[in-house]
mmCIF file of all heavy atoms in Angstrom:
data_model
loop_
_atom_site.group_PDB
_atom_site.id
_atom_site.type_symbol
_atom_site.label_atom_id
_atom_site.label_comp_id
_atom_site.label_asym_id
_atom_site.label_seq_id
_atom_site.Cartn_x
_atom_site.Cartn_y
_atom_site.Cartn_z
ATOM 1 N N PRO A 352 24.765 37.059 24.033
ATOM 2 C CA PRO A 352 25.194 38.439 23.771
ATOM 3 C C PRO A 352 26.240 38.524 22.654
ATOM 4 O O PRO A 352 27.096 37.646 22.516
ATOM 5 C CB PRO A 352 25.787 38.881 25.120
ATOM 6 C CG PRO A 352 25.122 38.011 26.126
ATOM 7 C CD PRO A 352 24.928 36.686 25.447
ATOM 8 N N LEU A 353 26.160 39.599 21.897
ATOM 9 C CA LEU A 353 27.077 39.819 20.776
ATOM 10 C C LEU A 353 28.378 40.446 21.260
ATOM 11 O O LEU A 353 28.433 41.120 22.287
ATOM 12 C CB LEU A 353 26.423 40.726 19.740
ATOM 13 C CG LEU A 353 25.066 40.270 19.194
ATOM 14 C CD1 LEU A 353 24.532 41.296 18.205
ATOM 15 C CD2 LEU A 353 25.183 38.899 18.559
ATOM 16 N N ASP A 476 25.407 51.463 30.303
ATOM 17 C CA ASP A 476 25.069 50.277 31.087
ATOM 18 C C ASP A 476 24.744 49.095 30.176
ATOM 19 O O ASP A 476 25.129 47.962 30.448
ATOM 20 C CB ASP A 476 23.844 50.543 31.973
ATOM 21 C CG ASP A 476 24.094 51.627 32.998
ATOM 22 O OD1 ASP A 476 25.241 51.746 33.474
ATOM 23 O OD2 ASP A 476 23.140 52.374 33.314
ATOM 24 N N GLU A 477 24.017 49.407 29.102
ATOM 25 C CA GLU A 477 23.612 48.376 28.149
ATOM 26 C C GLU A 477 23.821 48.868 26.729
ATOM 27 O O GLU A 477 23.767 50.080 26.461
ATOM 28 C CB GLU A 477 22.129 48.023 28.302
ATOM 29 C CG GLU A 477 21.731 47.313 29.557
ATOM 30 C CD GLU A 477 20.245 46.982 29.539
ATOM 31 O OE1 GLU A 477 19.752 46.469 28.501
ATOM 32 O OE2 GLU A 477 19.569 47.258 30.545
ATOM 33 N N VAL A 478 24.016 47.911 25.817
ATOM 34 C CA VAL A 478 24.028 48.184 24.389
ATOM 35 C C VAL A 478 23.239 47.053 23.726
ATOM 36 O O VAL A 478 23.374 45.889 24.105
ATOM 37 C CB VAL A 478 25.459 48.238 23.824
ATOM 38 C CG1 VAL A 478 25.423 48.475 22.311
ATOM 39 C CG2 VAL A 478 26.283 49.319 24.511
ATOM 40 N N PRO A 489 21.065 41.548 22.420
ATOM 41 C CA PRO A 489 21.941 42.160 23.423
ATOM 42 C C PRO A 489 23.400 42.153 22.986
ATOM 43 O O PRO A 489 23.853 41.221 22.313
ATOM 44 C CB PRO A 489 21.741 41.261 24.644
ATOM 45 C CG PRO A 489 21.413 39.924 24.066
ATOM 46 C CD PRO A 489 20.594 40.214 22.839
ATOM 47 N N VAL A 490 24.116 43.183 23.356
ATOM 48 C CA VAL A 490 25.560 43.255 23.104
ATOM 49 C C VAL A 490 26.273 43.091 24.444
ATOM 50 O O VAL A 490 26.037 43.847 25.379
ATOM 51 C CB VAL A 490 25.944 44.602 22.455
ATOM 52 C CG1 VAL A 490 27.464 44.702 22.293
ATOM 53 C CG2 VAL A 490 25.253 44.749 21.101
ATOM 54 N N GLY A 491 27.120 42.094 24.510
ATOM 55 C CA GLY A 491 27.843 41.838 25.753
ATOM 56 C C GLY A 491 29.145 42.580 25.873
ATOM 57 O O GLY A 491 29.585 42.915 26.977
ATOM 58 N N ALA A 492 29.768 42.856 24.708
ATOM 59 C CA ALA A 492 31.079 43.524 24.735
ATOM 60 C C ALA A 492 31.324 44.237 23.419
ATOM 61 O O ALA A 492 30.863 43.805 22.356
ATOM 62 C CB ALA A 492 32.190 42.515 24.997
ATOM 63 N N TYR A 502 28.993 44.962 29.020
ATOM 64 C CA TYR A 502 27.693 45.542 29.348
ATOM 65 C C TYR A 502 26.775 44.509 29.992
ATOM 66 O O TYR A 502 26.963 43.299 29.846
ATOM 67 C CB TYR A 502 27.043 46.105 28.081
ATOM 68 C CG TYR A 502 27.944 47.061 27.348
ATOM 69 C CD1 TYR A 502 28.674 46.639 26.232
ATOM 70 C CD2 TYR A 502 28.114 48.371 27.791
ATOM 71 C CE1 TYR A 502 29.529 47.517 25.571
ATOM 72 C CE2 TYR A 502 28.962 49.241 27.137
ATOM 73 C CZ TYR A 502 29.669 48.813 26.032
ATOM 74 O OH TYR A 502 30.526 49.666 25.396
ATOM 75 N N LYS A 503 25.752 45.018 30.666
ATOM 76 C CA LYS A 503 24.760 44.156 31.296
ATOM 77 C C LYS A 503 23.947 43.418 30.228
ATOM 78 O O LYS A 503 23.565 43.996 29.214
ATOM 79 C CB LYS A 503 23.794 44.982 32.143
ATOM 80 C CG LYS A 503 24.420 45.710 33.326
ATOM 81 C CD LYS A 503 23.344 46.540 34.034
ATOM 82 C CE LYS A 503 23.923 47.373 35.159
ATOM 83 N NZ LYS A 503 22.887 48.237 35.790
ATOM 84 N N THR A 504 23.675 42.164 30.478
ATOM 85 C CA THR A 504 22.809 41.376 29.591
ATOM 86 C C THR A 504 21.948 40.456 30.442
ATOM 87 O O THR A 504 22.188 40.287 31.635
ATOM 88 C CB THR A 504 23.635 40.523 28.598
ATOM 89 O OG1 THR A 504 24.468 39.619 29.342
ATOM 90 C CG2 THR A 504 24.511 41.391 27.704
ATOM 91 N N GLY A 505 20.953 39.872 29.815
ATOM 92 C CA GLY A 505 20.156 38.862 30.496
ATOM 93 C C GLY A 505 18.935 39.395 31.202
ATOM 94 O O GLY A 505 18.431 40.489 30.920
ATOM 95 N N SER A 506 18.455 38.633 32.165
ATOM 96 C CA SER A 506 17.219 38.944 32.874
ATOM 97 C C SER A 506 17.296 40.291 33.577
ATOM 98 O O SER A 506 18.313 40.647 34.160
ATOM 99 C CB SER A 506 16.938 37.844 33.901
ATOM 100 O OG SER A 506 15.777 38.114 34.635
ATOM 101 N N GLY A 507 16.192 41.042 33.495
ATOM 102 C CA GLY A 507 16.102 42.324 34.178
ATOM 103 C C GLY A 507 16.664 43.501 33.417
ATOM 104 O O GLY A 507 16.613 44.635 33.902
ATOM 105 N N THR A 508 17.165 43.282 32.217
ATOM 106 C CA THR A 508 17.734 44.378 31.425
ATOM 107 C C THR A 508 16.653 45.032 30.564
ATOM 108 O O THR A 508 15.593 44.459 30.298
ATOM 109 C CB THR A 508 18.857 43.882 30.504
ATOM 110 O OG1 THR A 508 18.329 42.885 29.608
ATOM 111 C CG2 THR A 508 20.004 43.284 31.322
ATOM 112 N N GLN A 511 16.123 42.946 27.348
ATOM 113 C CA GLN A 511 15.268 41.775 27.513
ATOM 114 C C GLN A 511 13.800 42.175 27.602
ATOM 115 O O GLN A 511 12.921 41.526 27.030
ATOM 116 C CB GLN A 511 15.674 41.008 28.765
ATOM 117 C CG GLN A 511 14.989 39.654 28.916
ATOM 118 C CD GLN A 511 15.415 38.669 27.839
ATOM 119 O OE1 GLN A 511 16.592 38.583 27.504
ATOM 120 N NE2 GLN A 511 14.459 37.941 27.279
#
Side-chain angles (χ1 to χ4, degrees):
L353 305 179
D476 297 327
E477 291 182 47
V478 178
V490 176
Y502 307 100
K503 296 177 184 177
T504 60
S506 178
T508 60
Q511 189 67 42

